[in-house]
Amino acid sequence: MFETLKNAFKNKEVRTKLLITIALLFIYRLGCWIPIPGISPAAYQNNITSDSLLGLLSGITGSALSNGALFAIGITPYINATIILQLLTVAIPRLQEYQKQGDDGKKKITQITRYITIILAMAQSIAITVSFANADALSTDVFGPMTQDWVIGMFVCVLMIMGSMLTMWLGERITDYGVGNGISMLIFVGIIASAGLAIIAKFDVVVGGGEQATFAIWELVGFAIMVVAVFMLIVFVDLAERRVPVQYAKQIKGRKQYGGQSTYIPIKVNASGVLPIIFATALITFPQMIAQLVAPGSGFVAWWQKWLGAGTPIYSVLVALLILFFSYFYAQIQFNPEDISRNIQQYGGFINGIRPGKPTTDYLSRISKRLTLFGAIYLAFIALVPSVIFAAVLQDATLVSAFSATGMLIVVSVALEFDKQLQSLLMMKQYKGFLK
């Protein structure tokens, strides 16, 4: 990756895209620290703990939520809107038609995603503003003592919605004018920033000296060893794939001969990436999120945290089952054995030892199901086991929640995709230079 970055900065056009990406990411991080007028960040930070759901949301947004900043809800509504639209595409034929219409259909789907994002941003901003009010974090100092609380609440909600729309706009601009994958880059920067702040806080303890400093050093060493081990596992599985060999028969048309070559169908072990984990955790934490934002002291919240809270046995079992379900669900959307078998047969191809048609479809389907099962078990392991080990070894909950195993999976996936994007850009520029 470092060699790719070095070559990228040597190319003028790719260097320009990199600089645009860095500038837009800097604007995003700046918006994570600009406070919203009408909020008292100090009063709200006291009510956000690192092991709570609000602490998790704050970690995803790069501490913007705990800062009461303009990008407090960040890109979360857009992510949820994208997930909802992907699920609806399976059930609504019109959305399936849009996907097959090329650029025009993509524009329509993007516009629908924006509308859903606005609706979700409104709902989330209202819920968070209510939580601000319950925590006595709404302040009238900016507007004067005569201002009504509901006016301040509306003002805060509007600014949060505007911040979410601006975050979505920054992500789209990175995709259009930067390196690409703008939304993923924003999530990547948010997780890295939260982890960086937690590590810096731990270094402050080390510099302070005393017995806590010695313990903090060993915590950092153990954390670094475990992070490297999890990184190696994630990279190994993320790059793993099953290659199904395909042989194309020779065809003579006129005086030319076509075919007669062999290739392979790459089927990734973890083709769905981190999406099953996001789907599973979002579904199981949604009731708790709504209840904790609207009525944080209710009995329902206490009951949910006792029986279905993060770390409980029932929570672990449900998350594992949901990851298994969503892994197969997403695999059915991404990989269609029947279409692939039909395409192979149309171009005169065949898999050695397998007859064309339905036997090829069954063979590909069997391979896909086996790989999906292994990928689902791997995702469940990443989502549950490393976090339990981190919590057992490390006493600082802030360090664990800031860089969880799920966060590391997102970071590694985005970093690998970023490297692929740079390599493809460099390859494209080399071909253009050759043609010129």
Side-chain angles (χ1 to χ4, degrees):
M1 177 176 288
F2 293 106
E3 188 66 25
T4 305
L5 284 173
K6 180 181 177 181
N7 295 330
F9 275 100
K10 291 180 180 179
N11 188 289
K12 182 179 179 181
E13 296 184 22
V14 180
R15 183 172 64 247
T16 302
K17 288 181 175 291
L18 278 173
L19 293 176
I20 291 174
T21 301
I22 294 173
L24 292 174
L25 291 176
F26 175 78
I27 295 173
Y28 169 69
R29 286 304 303 159
L30 188 64
C32 293
W33 291 95
I34 298 177
I36 296 177
I39 292 179
S40 176
Y44 190 63
Q45 285 178 356
N46 296 330
N47 293 274
I48 295 182
T49 58
S50 59
D51 56 347
S52 66
L53 186 61
L54 291 178
L56 176 62
L57 294 176
S58 180
I60 296 175
T61 58
S63 302
L65 181 59
S66 61
N67 295 332
L70 180 63
F71 295 161
I73 56 179
I75 202 64
T76 307
Y78 184 84
I79 298 173
N80 294 332
T82 304
I83 294 172
I84 292 173
L85 200 61
Q86 285 184 346
L87 297 175
L88 291 177
T89 302
V90 181
I92 301 177
R94 179 62 63 87
L95 294 177
Q96 295 178 3
E97 294 177 3
Y98 288 160
Q99 283 189 332
K100 299 177 182 179
Q101 292 178 359
D103 292 338
D104 293 337
K106 185 177 179 180
K107 290 180 181 178
K108 294 178 182 178
I109 291 178
T110 302
Q111 196 65 24
I112 296 173
T113 306
R114 290 171 180 169
Y115 292 144
I116 299 176
T117 301
I118 294 175
I119 296 173
L120 295 178
M122 291 174 61
Q124 192 167 348
S125 63
I126 292 172
I128 291 178
T129 303
V130 171
S131 69
F132 281 153
N134 293 333
D136 295 327
L138 294 181
S139 174
T140 59
D141 295 340
V142 178
F143 307 99
M146 300 301 293
T147 308
Q148 298 293 327
D149 291 341
W150 66 271
V151 176
I152 300 173
M154 288 184 60
F155 180 76
V156 171
C157 284
V158 170
L159 286 183
M160 283 188 180
I161 296 171
M162 291 174 60
S164 179
M165 294 301 103
L166 181 56
T167 306
M168 180 183 66
W169 181 84
L170 289 173
E172 292 179 350
R173 296 292 75 76
I174 293 174
T175 303
D176 295 337
Y177 303 108
V179 177
N181 295 326
I183 304 302
S184 300
M185 292 296 296
L186 295 180
I187 301 173
F188 175 86
V189 170
I191 295 174
I192 291 295
S194 299
L197 292 174
I199 293 173
I200 290 174
K202 185 61 65 175
F203 271 111
D204 290 339
V205 177
V206 174
V207 174
E211 296 182 358
Q212 292 184 351
T214 304
F215 185 74
I217 292 174
W218 285 110
E219 270 195 322
L220 285 173
V221 172
F223 179 72
I225 294 173
M226 289 187 290
V227 165
V228 171
V230 174
F231 272 179
M232 292 175 63
L233 174 63
I234 293 172
V235 173
F236 176 76
V237 178
D238 194 75
L239 297 178
E241 62 184 15
R242 168 72 182 274
R243 296 182 176 182
V244 181
V246 178
Q247 181 71 34
Y248 288 92
K250 295 181 180 180
Q251 298 179 5
I252 299 176
K253 296 181 180 180
R255 296 183 179 181
K256 294 184 178 181
Q257 177 177 302
Y258 298 91
Q261 60 185 6
S262 61
T263 182
Y264 61 87
I265 303 173
I267 306 177
K268 293 183 69 66
V269 174
N270 184 30
S272 55
V274 74
L275 286 178
I277 296 180
I278 296 176
F279 288 4
T281 53
L283 185 61
I284 198 171
T285 58
F286 182 75
Q288 181 187 359
M289 180 181 67
I290 298 299
Q292 191 166 350
L293 290 174
V294 177
S298 63
F300 175 79
V301 175
W303 178 86
W304 190 279
Q305 290 179 344
K306 179 180 179 181
W307 297 104
L308 294 175
T312 59
I314 299 178
Y315 171 86
S316 302
V317 172
L318 288 178
V319 167
L321 292 176
L322 288 173
I323 288 175
L324 182 66
F325 169 76
F326 282 117
S327 295
Y328 277 97
F329 175 80
Y330 202 77
Q332 292 294 326
I333 298 175
Q334 272 196 328
F335 187 81
N336 191 333
E338 187 174 352
D339 291 343
I340 295 175
S341 174
R342 189 184 304 114
N343 292 333
I344 293 174
Q345 189 174 7
Q346 286 177 353
Y347 289 98
F350 60 92
I351 299 175
N352 293 329
I354 307 297
R355 295 181 60 184
K358 191 175 185 303
T360 300
T361 302
D362 296 338
Y363 178 74
L364 293 175
S365 178
R366 187 163 60 251
I367 292 177
S368 176
K369 289 179 180 178
R370 289 178 179 176
L371 292 178
T372 302
L373 177 61
F374 180 83
I377 295 174
Y378 155 75
L379 289 177
F381 176 85
I382 288 294
L384 300 174
V385 177
S387 298
V388 174
I389 296 175
F390 282 7
V393 175
L394 303 176
Q395 300 297 324
D396 190 359
T398 305
L399 198 61
V400 177
S401 62
F403 214 16
S404 62
T406 305
M408 284 188 282
L409 180 61
I410 296 173
V411 167
V412 173
S413 301
V414 174
L416 292 175
E417 189 64 30
F418 176 74
D419 183 63
K420 293 178 183 177
Q421 288 282 347
L422 283 182
Q423 290 181 3
S424 63
L425 286 173
L426 289 172
M427 186 70 68
M428 184 172 58
K429 300 306 176 185
Q430 288 176 2
Y431 278 131
K432 284 185 177 180
F434 175 76
L435 293 173
K436 291 180 180 178

